[in-house]
Every structure is written in C-alpha cells, then in structure tokens.
Amino acid sequence: IKDEKALEAINESKERVNAISLLHQEIYSNEVLKRIDAKSYLSNLIYRIQDTMDPKRNVNVLVDIDEIHLDIDQMIPLGLIVNELLTNSFKYGCTNSLPQIDFSFKQNENRVLLTLKDNGPGIVDEKIVERSDSLGFKLMKLFSVKLKGEFKTENNNGAVITLNFEIKNG
C-alpha cells in the first residue's frame, strides 16, 4: 500500500486486533477463565505496542501496574482503550528529544485509576477529543461507557489521560 493514510489506518486496525489476540492468549493460559491478571496482560500489551511503534526503544516507557484481576467483560474494552492511548502517545506525544510515557494502573478499594501521561506537546487541539471523525477517541469514549468509567483528558506538560472505573464483582 502506497497511500500513507491507508497504511496508517491498516496498521492501527492491526494493533486493535493484536490487543484482542493478546487477551485471548492470556485467557487460555489462565486456569480461572473468569478473572484475568491485568498486570500480566497490560504489561505484555504495552511492550508489544512499543515493539511496533518504537522498535529502537527511543521512548522511555515507565510502567506501574498493581496486581489486579478483572472480569473478562472489563478486560476487553480496557485493552482496546490502552491500545488507543499508547498508539496516540507514541504517534503524537513523543516528539521531543527525551520522549517519555508514564503508564499507571492503580487500585483503590473497589476502583481502578488508569493514568497515561506523555511529555509531548499535549493535546494541541482539544476539539479532537470531541470530534466524531476521530475513531480512536470515539472508541475510547464508547469503551469507557461500557466500563461505566469516567474518561478525562487534560494538558499538563504533555497529554494526561485518566480512566476511573469500578471493579466488577463476580
């Protein structure tokens, strides 16, 4: 494919499929099919995305993930959200000379707070978050609703995106 935009769209779709594929691998290696180890899954997903987006490891990626087990119904949308967030950070947030991405996934009682921060230019056009033609943000918002979570974006020396949701029991 010679068209840059078409190639980019295909690669983004490929990463979405990879996120789901990795989750399926995690499910089949897990004896308890109902609950998935978020730390293992998200760590693998993050490093797989970095392998694709930053094969030379130019970006310093800091990962801090609590030991949390989530229901499969929460892990699927979560994996797709993380895929979109990281892909966007690598594409748009790693433009300075010492690029860094901080990924945090922390539990506080029965809630989880996911935070992704990069040290790039931030979300230059805040309207992109609201645009209906931005498939990535549209997907993240839809999956946040599925998680019954609160999805926020802000600029603070780079883009800062948070997702706060309750752990589903069962």
Short mmCIF file of all heavy atoms in Angstrom, two decimals, residues 52-90:
data_model
loop_
_atom_site.label_atom_id
_atom_site.label_comp_id
_atom_site.label_asym_id
_atom_site.label_seq_id
_atom_site.Cartn_x
_atom_site.Cartn_y
_atom_site.Cartn_z
N THR A 52 6.20 -2.37 18.22
CA THR A 52 5.69 -1.96 16.91
C THR A 52 5.96 -0.48 16.63
O THR A 52 6.45 -0.13 15.57
CB THR A 52 4.16 -2.20 16.83
OG1 THR A 52 3.92 -3.59 17.05
CG2 THR A 52 3.60 -1.78 15.49
N MET A 53 5.67 0.37 17.61
CA MET A 53 5.73 1.82 17.39
C MET A 53 7.13 2.40 17.62
O MET A 53 7.45 3.45 17.09
CB MET A 53 4.74 2.53 18.32
CG MET A 53 3.30 2.08 18.21
SD MET A 53 2.51 2.49 16.66
CE MET A 53 2.43 4.25 16.76
N ASP A 54 7.93 1.73 18.43
CA ASP A 54 9.25 2.26 18.83
C ASP A 54 10.26 1.11 18.92
O ASP A 54 10.79 0.83 19.99
CB ASP A 54 9.10 2.98 20.18
CG ASP A 54 10.40 3.55 20.70
OD1 ASP A 54 11.25 3.98 19.90
OD2 ASP A 54 10.58 3.54 21.94
N PRO A 55 10.52 0.45 17.81
CA PRO A 55 11.39 -0.74 17.85
C PRO A 55 12.82 -0.44 18.33
O PRO A 55 13.48 -1.33 18.87
CB PRO A 55 11.38 -1.26 16.41
CG PRO A 55 10.89 -0.13 15.58
CD PRO A 55 10.05 0.74 16.46
N LYS A 56 13.28 0.78 18.18
CA LYS A 56 14.64 1.13 18.63
C LYS A 56 14.68 1.55 20.10
O LYS A 56 15.73 1.89 20.63
CB LYS A 56 15.21 2.24 17.76
CG LYS A 56 15.46 1.78 16.33
CD LYS A 56 16.07 2.88 15.50
CE LYS A 56 16.29 2.38 14.08
NZ LYS A 56 16.82 3.43 13.22
N ARG A 57 13.50 1.55 20.75
CA ARG A 57 13.39 1.90 22.17
C ARG A 57 13.93 3.30 22.46
O ARG A 57 14.67 3.51 23.42
CB ARG A 57 14.11 0.88 23.05
CG ARG A 57 13.56 -0.53 22.94
CD ARG A 57 12.36 -0.66 23.82
NE ARG A 57 12.02 -2.07 24.03
CZ ARG A 57 10.82 -2.56 23.79
NH1 ARG A 57 9.88 -1.79 23.33
NH2 ARG A 57 10.57 -3.82 24.00
N ASN A 58 13.52 4.27 21.64
CA ASN A 58 13.90 5.66 21.86
C ASN A 58 13.06 6.33 22.94
O ASN A 58 13.44 7.36 23.49
CB ASN A 58 13.76 6.46 20.56
CG ASN A 58 14.76 6.00 19.53
OD1 ASN A 58 15.89 5.66 19.84
ND2 ASN A 58 14.32 5.96 18.28
N VAL A 59 11.89 5.75 23.23
CA VAL A 59 10.96 6.33 24.21
C VAL A 59 11.13 5.61 25.54
O VAL A 59 11.13 4.38 25.60
CB VAL A 59 9.49 6.19 23.72
CG1 VAL A 59 8.53 6.76 24.74
CG2 VAL A 59 9.31 6.86 22.37
N ASN A 60 11.28 6.39 26.60
CA ASN A 60 11.36 5.83 27.94
C ASN A 60 9.92 5.56 28.40
O ASN A 60 9.14 6.49 28.59
CB ASN A 60 12.06 6.81 28.88
CG ASN A 60 12.29 6.23 30.25
OD1 ASN A 60 12.35 5.02 30.43
ND2 ASN A 60 12.44 7.12 31.23
N VAL A 61 9.58 4.29 28.56
CA VAL A 61 8.23 3.92 28.97
C VAL A 61 8.30 3.41 30.41
O VAL A 61 8.97 2.40 30.70
CB VAL A 61 7.63 2.83 28.05
CG1 VAL A 61 6.23 2.45 28.52
CG2 VAL A 61 7.58 3.32 26.61
N LEU A 62 7.64 4.14 31.31
CA LEU A 62 7.59 3.76 32.73
C LEU A 62 6.23 3.14 33.02
O LEU A 62 5.20 3.74 32.71
CB LEU A 62 7.82 4.98 33.61
CG LEU A 62 9.13 5.74 33.37
CD1 LEU A 62 9.19 6.99 34.22
CD2 LEU A 62 10.32 4.84 33.66
N VAL A 63 6.25 1.96 33.60
CA VAL A 63 5.01 1.21 33.83
C VAL A 63 4.89 0.90 35.32
O VAL A 63 5.81 0.38 35.93
CB VAL A 63 5.02 -0.11 33.01
CG1 VAL A 63 3.77 -0.91 33.29
CG2 VAL A 63 5.16 0.20 31.52
N ASP A 64 3.73 1.23 35.90
CA ASP A 64 3.44 0.95 37.31
C ASP A 64 2.03 0.37 37.38
O ASP A 64 1.05 1.12 37.28
CB ASP A 64 3.57 2.24 38.13
CG ASP A 64 3.38 2.00 39.62
OD1 ASP A 64 3.39 0.82 40.06
OD2 ASP A 64 3.21 2.99 40.35
N ILE A 65 1.94 -0.95 37.51
CA ILE A 65 0.65 -1.64 37.47
C ILE A 65 0.49 -2.48 38.73
O ILE A 65 1.35 -3.31 39.05
CB ILE A 65 0.55 -2.55 36.22
CG1 ILE A 65 0.74 -1.73 34.94
CG2 ILE A 65 -0.79 -3.28 36.21
CD1 ILE A 65 0.80 -2.57 33.68
N ASP A 66 -0.62 -2.26 39.44
CA ASP A 66 -0.94 -3.08 40.61
C ASP A 66 -1.38 -4.47 40.18
O ASP A 66 -1.82 -4.69 39.05
CB ASP A 66 -2.09 -2.44 41.41
CG ASP A 66 -1.64 -1.25 42.25
OD1 ASP A 66 -0.43 -1.01 42.36
OD2 ASP A 66 -2.54 -0.57 42.79
N GLU A 67 -1.28 -5.40 41.12
CA GLU A 67 -1.81 -6.76 40.91
C GLU A 67 -3.33 -6.68 41.03
O GLU A 67 -3.85 -6.55 42.14
CB GLU A 67 -1.26 -7.72 41.97
CG GLU A 67 0.23 -7.93 41.91
CD GLU A 67 0.64 -8.91 40.83
OE1 GLU A 67 -0.21 -9.67 40.34
OE2 GLU A 67 1.82 -8.89 40.46
N ILE A 68 -4.00 -6.71 39.90
CA ILE A 68 -5.46 -6.61 39.87
C ILE A 68 -5.97 -7.69 38.94
O ILE A 68 -5.42 -7.90 37.86
CB ILE A 68 -5.91 -5.23 39.36
CG1 ILE A 68 -5.30 -4.10 40.19
CG2 ILE A 68 -7.44 -5.13 39.35
CD1 ILE A 68 -5.51 -2.71 39.60
N HIS A 69 -7.04 -8.36 39.34
CA HIS A 69 -7.69 -9.34 38.47
C HIS A 69 -9.05 -8.78 38.09
O HIS A 69 -9.83 -8.40 38.97
CB HIS A 69 -7.82 -10.69 39.18
CG HIS A 69 -6.50 -11.39 39.28
ND1 HIS A 69 -5.59 -11.08 40.25
CD2 HIS A 69 -5.93 -12.33 38.51
CE1 HIS A 69 -4.51 -11.83 40.09
NE2 HIS A 69 -4.69 -12.59 39.03
N LEU A 70 -9.28 -8.73 36.80
CA LEU A 70 -10.54 -8.16 36.30
C LEU A 70 -11.33 -9.19 35.50
O LEU A 70 -10.76 -10.11 34.90
CB LEU A 70 -10.26 -6.96 35.39
CG LEU A 70 -9.63 -5.73 36.05
CD1 LEU A 70 -9.34 -4.67 35.00
CD2 LEU A 70 -10.54 -5.18 37.13
N ASP A 71 -12.61 -8.99 35.49
CA ASP A 71 -13.53 -9.80 34.71
C ASP A 71 -13.22 -9.61 33.22
O ASP A 71 -12.84 -8.53 32.79
CB ASP A 71 -14.96 -9.32 35.04
CG ASP A 71 -16.01 -10.15 34.39
OD1 ASP A 71 -16.28 -9.91 33.19
OD2 ASP A 71 -16.57 -11.02 35.07
N ILE A 72 -13.40 -10.65 32.46
CA ILE A 72 -13.15 -10.60 31.02
C ILE A 72 -13.96 -9.50 30.34
O ILE A 72 -13.49 -8.86 29.40
CB ILE A 72 -13.41 -11.98 30.36
CG1 ILE A 72 -13.02 -11.98 28.89
CG2 ILE A 72 -14.86 -12.40 30.49
CD1 ILE A 72 -11.56 -12.05 28.68
N ASP A 73 -15.18 -9.26 30.83
CA ASP A 73 -16.03 -8.22 30.24
C ASP A 73 -15.44 -6.82 30.45
O ASP A 73 -15.78 -5.90 29.71
CB ASP A 73 -17.44 -8.28 30.82
CG ASP A 73 -18.19 -9.52 30.38
OD1 ASP A 73 -17.86 -10.07 29.31
OD2 ASP A 73 -19.10 -9.95 31.11
N GLN A 74 -14.60 -6.65 31.44
CA GLN A 74 -13.93 -5.37 31.65
C GLN A 74 -12.58 -5.34 30.93
O GLN A 74 -12.16 -4.30 30.45
CB GLN A 74 -13.73 -5.10 33.14
CG GLN A 74 -15.01 -4.75 33.86
CD GLN A 74 -14.76 -4.31 35.27
OE1 GLN A 74 -14.21 -5.05 36.08
NE2 GLN A 74 -15.16 -3.08 35.58
N MET A 75 -11.94 -6.50 30.85
CA MET A 75 -10.60 -6.52 30.26
C MET A 75 -10.61 -6.24 28.76
O MET A 75 -9.69 -5.60 28.26
CB MET A 75 -9.96 -7.88 30.54
CG MET A 75 -8.47 -7.86 30.36
SD MET A 75 -7.63 -6.67 31.43
CE MET A 75 -7.42 -7.64 32.88
N ILE A 76 -11.63 -6.68 28.05
CA ILE A 76 -11.67 -6.44 26.60
C ILE A 76 -11.73 -4.95 26.28
O ILE A 76 -10.86 -4.45 25.56
CB ILE A 76 -12.83 -7.22 25.94
CG1 ILE A 76 -12.53 -8.72 25.99
CG2 ILE A 76 -13.05 -6.76 24.50
CD1 ILE A 76 -13.69 -9.60 25.56
N PRO A 77 -12.71 -4.19 26.81
CA PRO A 77 -12.70 -2.75 26.50
C PRO A 77 -11.47 -2.04 27.06
O PRO A 77 -10.94 -1.13 26.43
CB PRO A 77 -13.99 -2.22 27.12
CG PRO A 77 -14.46 -3.26 28.06
CD PRO A 77 -13.88 -4.56 27.60
N LEU A 78 -10.98 -2.48 28.22
CA LEU A 78 -9.79 -1.88 28.80
C LEU A 78 -8.59 -2.06 27.87
O LEU A 78 -7.83 -1.11 27.63
CB LEU A 78 -9.50 -2.48 30.17
CG LEU A 78 -8.27 -1.95 30.86
CD1 LEU A 78 -8.43 -0.47 31.18
CD2 LEU A 78 -7.99 -2.74 32.13
N GLY A 79 -8.40 -3.24 27.35
CA GLY A 79 -7.28 -3.50 26.44
C GLY A 79 -7.35 -2.63 25.20
O GLY A 79 -6.33 -2.12 24.72
N LEU A 80 -8.55 -2.45 24.67
CA LEU A 80 -8.70 -1.61 23.48
C LEU A 80 -8.45 -0.14 23.79
O LEU A 80 -7.87 0.59 22.99
CB LEU A 80 -10.06 -1.85 22.84
CG LEU A 80 -10.20 -3.25 22.22
CD1 LEU A 80 -11.65 -3.57 21.93
CD2 LEU A 80 -9.36 -3.36 20.97
N ILE A 81 -8.86 0.30 24.97
CA ILE A 81 -8.59 1.69 25.39
C ILE A 81 -7.08 1.90 25.52
O ILE A 81 -6.52 2.87 25.01
CB ILE A 81 -9.31 2.02 26.71
CG1 ILE A 81 -10.82 2.13 26.49
CG2 ILE A 81 -8.76 3.31 27.33
CD1 ILE A 81 -11.63 2.19 27.78
N VAL A 82 -6.40 0.98 26.20
CA VAL A 82 -4.95 1.10 26.40
C VAL A 82 -4.24 1.10 25.05
O VAL A 82 -3.31 1.87 24.83
CB VAL A 82 -4.43 -0.02 27.33
CG1 VAL A 82 -2.91 -0.06 27.34
CG2 VAL A 82 -4.97 0.19 28.75
N ASN A 83 -4.69 0.25 24.14
CA ASN A 83 -4.11 0.22 22.80
C ASN A 83 -4.21 1.59 22.13
O ASN A 83 -3.24 2.09 21.57
CB ASN A 83 -4.81 -0.85 21.95
CG ASN A 83 -4.22 -0.94 20.58
OD1 ASN A 83 -3.12 -1.43 20.38
ND2 ASN A 83 -4.95 -0.43 19.59
N GLU A 84 -5.37 2.20 22.18
CA GLU A 84 -5.58 3.52 21.56
C GLU A 84 -4.72 4.58 22.25
O GLU A 84 -4.08 5.40 21.59
CB GLU A 84 -7.04 3.93 21.63
CG GLU A 84 -7.99 3.08 20.82
CD GLU A 84 -7.70 3.09 19.33
OE1 GLU A 84 -7.31 4.15 18.79
OE2 GLU A 84 -7.86 2.03 18.71
N LEU A 85 -4.71 4.57 23.58
CA LEU A 85 -3.94 5.57 24.33
C LEU A 85 -2.46 5.51 23.99
O LEU A 85 -1.83 6.53 23.71
CB LEU A 85 -4.13 5.36 25.84
CG LEU A 85 -5.47 5.73 26.44
CD1 LEU A 85 -5.53 5.30 27.89
CD2 LEU A 85 -5.74 7.21 26.30
N LEU A 86 -1.91 4.31 24.03
CA LEU A 86 -0.48 4.16 23.76
C LEU A 86 -0.12 4.48 22.32
O LEU A 86 0.89 5.13 22.06
CB LEU A 86 -0.03 2.74 24.11
CG LEU A 86 0.17 2.51 25.59
CD1 LEU A 86 0.35 1.03 25.87
CD2 LEU A 86 1.36 3.29 26.10
N THR A 87 -0.95 4.03 21.40
CA THR A 87 -0.69 4.32 20.00
C THR A 87 -0.66 5.82 19.78
O THR A 87 0.24 6.35 19.12
CB THR A 87 -1.76 3.66 19.10
OG1 THR A 87 -1.71 2.24 19.31
CG2 THR A 87 -1.50 3.94 17.64
N ASN A 88 -1.63 6.54 20.36
CA ASN A 88 -1.65 8.00 20.24
C ASN A 88 -0.43 8.64 20.89
O ASN A 88 0.15 9.59 20.35
CB ASN A 88 -2.93 8.58 20.85
CG ASN A 88 -4.14 8.36 19.98
OD1 ASN A 88 -4.02 8.07 18.79
ND2 ASN A 88 -5.31 8.48 20.57
N SER A 89 -0.03 8.14 22.06
CA SER A 89 1.14 8.71 22.73
C SER A 89 2.40 8.52 21.91
O SER A 89 3.22 9.43 21.80
CB SER A 89 1.33 8.09 24.11
OG SER A 89 0.47 8.67 25.04
N PHE A 90 2.58 7.33 21.35
CA PHE A 90 3.77 7.11 20.52
C PHE A 90 3.73 7.97 19.26
O PHE A 90 4.76 8.50 18.84
CB PHE A 90 3.90 5.63 20.14
CG PHE A 90 4.55 4.79 21.21
CD1 PHE A 90 3.80 3.88 21.93
CD2 PHE A 90 5.90 4.92 21.50
CE1 PHE A 90 4.39 3.10 22.91
CE2 PHE A 90 6.49 4.16 22.48
CZ PHE A 90 5.73 3.24 23.19
#
